Amino acid sequence: MEATWMPHTEHGEIHDRAELPESVYAFPRQRKEPLTDATHVKNALARFDQVEGVSDADRDLAFANIKKAAAHYGVDLHETNWRELGG
């Protein structure tokens, strides 16, 4: 699956998630798990199996987005598939 994640290029503090484009989310359609820095990437990985109301296709896309963001922010990702994460 092709990742849709793109780094958020605007500088300054974001106070409202509504200001973020869909392209920064692991789950863009649902606007869940923003991937705006290394900490958010790690949090998205830790909470991946807790995201509710998403299909396997949504998870495939989210994992592709997380992989792309992890590479961008220098986060080590050992899993090759979202099924290797969490519970």
Side-chain angles (χ1 to χ4, degrees):
M1 173 148 300
E2 185 75 27
T4 59
W5 181 84
M6 299 289 292
H8 188 57
T9 56
E10 286 184 24
H11 297 287
E13 187 124 355
I14 298 292
H15 297 287
D16 183 357
R17 282 173 55 150
E19 296 175 30
L20 293 172
E22 276 187 9
S23 60
V24 303
Y25 288 92
F27 294 89
R29 198 166 55 82
Q30 298 85 359
R31 297 183 64 84
K32 292 183 178 181
E33 301 300 333
L35 305 170
T36 53
D37 57 31
T39 300
H40 280 91
V41 171
K42 292 173 187 174
N43 288 342
L45 285 167
R47 292 195 299 263
F48 194 89
D49 62 333
Q50 298 169 15
V51 176
E52 297 178 349
V54 295
S55 67
D56 283 358
D58 292 330
R59 290 189 187 280
D60 288 341
L61 175 58
F63 190 74
N65 287 334
I66 289 170
K67 281 190 344 187
K68 188 174 178 182
H72 179 80
Y73 293 118
V75 175
D76 288 333
L77 180 62
H78 303 285
E79 296 81 5
T80 58
N81 184 300
W82 63 263
R83 289 174 174 87
E84 297 174 16
L85 297 170

